[in-house]
Amino acid sequence: MTTILGICGSLRGGSLNAALLRSAAQVIEDATLETGSIRGIPLYDGDVETSTGIPQAVADLKARMVASDGVLLVTPEYNNGIPGVFKNAIDWLSRPASDIRSVFGDRPVAVIGASPGGFGTILAQDAWLPVLRTLGMRPWFGGRLMASRAHTLFDASGDLTDAALRRQLTEFMRGFVAFVKARPAAPR
Ligand SMILES: Cc1cc2nc3c(=O)[nH]c(=O)nc-3n(C[C@H](O)[C@H](O)[C@H](O)COP(=O)(O)O)c2cc1C
């Protein structure tokens, strides 16, 4: 079975992006969407890396990346860019640099996001592109999904109530799964 690892870049209990990720896991077909978390990942500190190595939460998420066939980043947008907590997590995952190839290299990746604003994380999604290029990932550009006015698309429990977004998400995941299946990440 094709396994995609979804990572949400928000720590908030009521996160719209976490709700979007859960919805993606509900609509995905012919693949499993597992949920990875950035919770517990400390601020990157080179001194910590030198003295005590890679934190357990980072090592665990790296292992789940390596075991996946592809990765779905579900990104909030802060100040027209990538939220620091999310970028910080990916920065930790890229350590040591000698592991970048096995964790990120040629791994299929797609980016989606949700925001209460009118542009639905378009700038945060674009801001991920140079990061993905630097890490040698293989982005899927066959679809875009920016859930704008996202607070109106989910109910109080975080369940997706908007039929148009459900259709769009289903199509998006269908396209990404096909991309992953055509050439999954090479086993490491
Ligand atoms: C520091 C900060 C900056 C933000 N900047 C933006 C922004 O540039 N664009 C945007 O659409 N929303 C912005 N927002 C609103 C977030 O999109 C909103 O809080 C969203 O719910 C965060 O994602 P989450 O629900 O998954 O936690 C910002 C929120 C915070 C806390």
Side-chain angles (χ1 to χ4, degrees):
M1 176 59 98
T2 299
T3 301
I4 294 171
L5 181 67
I7 306 175
C8 169
S10 172
L11 295 168
R12 226 163 55 81
S15 165
L16 295 166
N17 286 280
L20 183 61
L21 175 54
R22 285 196 303 274
S23 304
Q26 286 166 8
V27 303
I28 196 168
E29 299 159 350
D30 298 328
T32 303
L33 179 57
E34 296 185 346
T35 303
S37 174
I38 62 170
R39 188 166 297 284
I41 295 182
L43 286 177
Y44 178 75
D45 181 337
D47 292 338
V48 169
E49 184 184 1
T50 302
S51 59
T52 55
I54 303 299
Q56 194 57 50
V58 176
D60 291 346
L61 197 51
K62 280 174 68 174
R64 296 188 68 191
M65 293 265 298
V66 171
S68 74
D69 297 304
V71 173
L72 178 70
L73 298 182
V74 188
T75 189
E77 177 174 302
Y78 285 178
N79 296 314
N80 289 172
I82 301 170
V85 289
F86 204 4
K87 178 64 163 51
N88 175 72
I90 298 297
D91 290 341
W92 257 124
L93 293 176
S94 71
R95 301 299 300 164
S98 54
D99 284 353
I100 288 177
R101 204 177 154 279
S102 63
V103 175
F104 296 96
D106 201 38
R107 193 168 301 283
V109 62
V111 184
I112 60 176
S115 146
F119 299 98
T121 72
I122 186 169
L123 290 170
Q125 292 191 32
D126 285 354
W128 275 108
L129 298 180
V131 179
L132 305 181
R133 182 182 59 205
T134 298
L135 295 172
M137 298 192 86
R138 181 159 34 101
W140 180 60
F141 292 130
R144 298 194 86 175
L145 193 137
M146 289 148 311
S148 55
R149 311 272 177 233
H151 56 297
T152 67
L153 309 176
F154 299 89
D155 66 17
S157 313
D159 289 326
L160 179 57
T161 52
D162 186 81
L165 179 60
R166 181 176 297 278
R167 273 195 304 276
Q168 202 189 351
L169 190 57
T170 304
E171 274 305 303
F172 185 97
M173 293 310 299
R174 198 174 282 151
F176 183 49
V177 167
F179 178 78
V180 172
K181 281 182 185 286
R183 188 154 67 91
R188 314 282 178 189

